[in-house]
Amino acid sequence: MAETAGGFNLEPSEELREVRDWVHEFAATVIRPAGAEWDEREETPWPIIQEAAKIGLYSLDFFAQQWFEPSGLGIPIAFEELFWGDAGIGLSIAGTGLAAAAVSAGGTPEQLGEWLPQMFGTPGDVKLGAFCASEPDAGSDVGAIRTRAVYDEAKNEWTLNGTKTWATNGGIADVHVVVASVDPSLRSRGQATFVVPSGTKGLSQGQKFRKHGIRASHTAEVVLDDVRLPAACLLGGKEKLDTRLARVREGGKSGEQTAMRTFETTRPTVAAMAVGVARAAFEYARDYARTREQFSRKIAENQAIAFLLADMATKVDIARLMTWRAAWMARNTHPFTQAEGSMSKLVAAETAVWTTDQAIQILAGAGYTRDHPVERWHRDAKIFTIFEGTSEIQRLIIGRAVTGLPVR
């Protein structure tokens, strides 16, 4: 996406096209051929993450360059290609980005310089980050978070207790970014975000979840049992937190919390992931329909199949354009007055589920077997209507934006 002398242009710049082709090549030659294996193993694909690190795809430099790319399309274009390859492996590569986004949203320049490099490591020593917000009783309701952070002024340290759940890279990450309540009476306005380094006493992995899809991505509980952290691990610092809490207690606005800023910032990136899966399913079904013969003709010659493919292609393009618009708005500080970030995630997520379902239908019995990847992509697609805000939550956010009323 670029501006030209004649106005606005949706054509990605030459540099972005080069990034797209580079990531696509890695996805086609390294990720996609390994998708079925790591789905069956339900393990973190360390060899592939290491390969991505060797070429610079899994690195702080790459994520930062694409995140701050002027048009805002760097991450969406790269993530679409990654997830076109395979969603589980793609999330293993991209998952650290959510923790990095949380640190970027709430940290000081010094904290960014200290913690972001530790989330990625080096090609010879790969590291991971994990963002821990959800809890057993606090998923979409972030205000219900019970993980408690208590400050000891004499020791100038915080003590955290609680259990996080559904954490990508949870328990195996080198840096955990944890949202906790410092004043439960203020609900979401009384929360703060902390960085928990690797090896911190009291931090452990709880249950590892066996999932319907994205099985190559590690998802687990994170248990915090008297985790003691120096004051420097509070994102933004104690003075900033005290100022914000005092304003809230006096009846003022607190400003958007790190958890909500993180989710809002990353919604277009999650939408791009869903677009990648939807596109993969459409292309596979299209190619299958071009060669599969029934009643002495290609099934794509049947109007019912051709129309279905037309709808699939159209929906994928709609989802991509909405994703690009939201990403461009976020990068250029245009406010989401109509909840455009939520719109992009809602449309892309439901497009991925619908498109993968139709791909199975086009392949018929073959599509229902593991001989073809569409059944795996269908399982993978469902997560996009759930994580980082369910489709219902996105509709709630959009509803509030378009009506101006407190929709509940």
Side-chain angles (χ1 to χ4, degrees):
M1 185 182 292
E3 290 187 8
T4 67
F8 198 61
N9 181 8
L10 284 172
E11 180 67 22
S13 67
E14 181 178 353
E15 183 177 348
L16 279 177
R17 292 197 299 272
E18 290 176 355
V19 168
R20 178 194 63 199
D21 295 344
W22 176 60
V23 178
H24 181 82
E25 178 70 14
F26 184 81
T29 60
V30 179
I31 294 177
R32 182 169 285 193
E37 175 190 351
W38 291 99
D39 176 72
E40 290 284 351
R41 293 175 64 166
E42 298 191 52
E43 297 174 358
T44 300
W46 287 107
I48 298 179
I49 299 174
Q50 289 163 354
E51 286 299 313
K54 285 179 184 178
I55 66 169
L57 177 56
Y58 183 80
S59 70
L60 176 58
D61 284 346
F62 176 76
F63 275 69
Q65 287 169 7
Q66 302 314 311
W67 190 265
F68 294 107
E69 192 278 328
S71 72
L73 300 187
I75 288 291
I77 284 176
F79 280 14
E80 178 180 333
E81 298 304 329
L82 276 179
F83 283 71
W84 173 91
D86 180 76
I89 296 175
L91 191 57
S92 290
I93 294 172
T96 294
L98 183 60
V103 172
S104 298
T108 64
E110 294 75 19
Q111 288 172 326
L112 269 63
E114 179 177 2
W115 298 113
L116 292 180
Q118 294 187 45
M119 291 185 182
F120 291 91
T122 64
D125 187 21
V126 171
K127 306 292 187 183
L128 298 175
F131 182 58
C132 307
S134 295
E135 296 184 2
D137 296 316
S140 298
D141 184 7
V142 177
I145 283 175
R146 294 182 180 179
T147 295
R148 189 79 164 88
V150 178
Y151 181 63
D152 185 330
E153 190 169 355
K155 296 181 179 180
N156 193 28
E157 69 178 18
W158 292 86
T159 300
L160 274 62
N161 284 282
T163 299
K164 294 297 181 178
T165 195
W166 315 124
T168 298
N169 298 333
I172 65 171
D174 299 274
V175 178
H176 288 76
V177 181
V178 178
V179 180
S181 174
V182 296
D183 186 342
S185 68
L186 301 177
R187 286 181 59 80
S188 64
R189 296 182 299 167
Q191 295 171 359
T193 305
F194 300 84
V195 175
V196 185
S198 176
T200 299
K201 185 178 179 180
L203 176 75
S204 64
Q205 179 185 309
Q207 176 188 5
K208 177 186 175 182
F209 295 104
R210 300 186 66 190
K211 306 188 297 295
H212 177 64
I214 56 168
R215 294 177 177 177
S217 173
H218 176 96
T219 308
E221 292 179 328
V222 175
V223 180
L224 302 115
D225 183 10
D226 282 337
V227 169
R228 298 183 182 278
L229 299 171
C233 288
L234 168 65
L235 288 183
K238 183 73 163 50
E239 182 178 349
K240 183 178 179 181
L241 173 65
D242 288 342
T243 300
R244 177 169 62 79
L245 293 179
R247 187 164 61 246
V248 173
R249 292 177 183 128
E250 293 171 0
K253 294 183 178 180
S254 65
E256 203 172 18
Q257 302 305 299
T258 297
M260 289 295 95
R261 285 202 306 274
T262 301
F263 290 140
E264 188 63 19
T265 300
T266 58
R267 276 176 188 139
T269 69
V270 174
M273 299 174 186
V275 172
V277 175
R279 187 184 116 214
F282 158 68
E283 291 177 355
Y284 197 92
R286 177 201 62 198
D287 294 346
Y288 181 89
R290 284 171 170 171
T291 58
R292 172 67 169 166
E293 290 192 5
Q294 289 284 279
F295 305 106
S296 302
R297 64 179 177 184
K298 306 291 191 297
I299 64 171
E301 295 179 49
N302 295 313
Q303 193 176 86
I305 299 296
F307 279 16
L308 183 54
L309 289 167
D311 285 344
M312 293 165 76
T314 301
K315 288 177 182 289
V316 170
D317 259 13
I318 290 170
R320 181 184 297 108
L321 288 169
M322 293 190 72
T323 298
W324 284 14
R325 178 186 67 169
W328 177 83
M329 291 177 70
R331 179 66 183 90
N332 291 278
T333 64
H334 288 276
F336 289 161
T337 58
Q338 299 292 297
E340 289 86 352
S342 290
M343 285 183 177
S344 69
K345 182 183 180 296
L346 173 65
V347 170
E350 300 207 339
T351 294
V353 172
W354 181 85
T355 303
T356 53
D357 187 58
Q358 301 313 309
I360 291 176
Q361 195 68 23
I362 289 173
L363 271 68
Y368 199 66
T369 70
R370 295 188 181 183
D371 294 337
H372 295 271
V374 290
E375 69 83 25
R376 182 174 78 253
W377 297 339
H378 185 252
R379 288 188 283 108
D380 292 341
K382 185 57 187 173
I383 192 61
F384 298 111
T385 67
I386 299 171
F387 75 170
E388 293 199 46
T390 64
S391 288
E392 290 73 25
I393 288 296
Q394 306 310 323
R395 288 186 170 94
L396 186 67
I397 294 169
I398 297 165
R400 289 171 176 170
V402 300
T403 65
L405 297 174
V407 180
R408 292 180 177 86

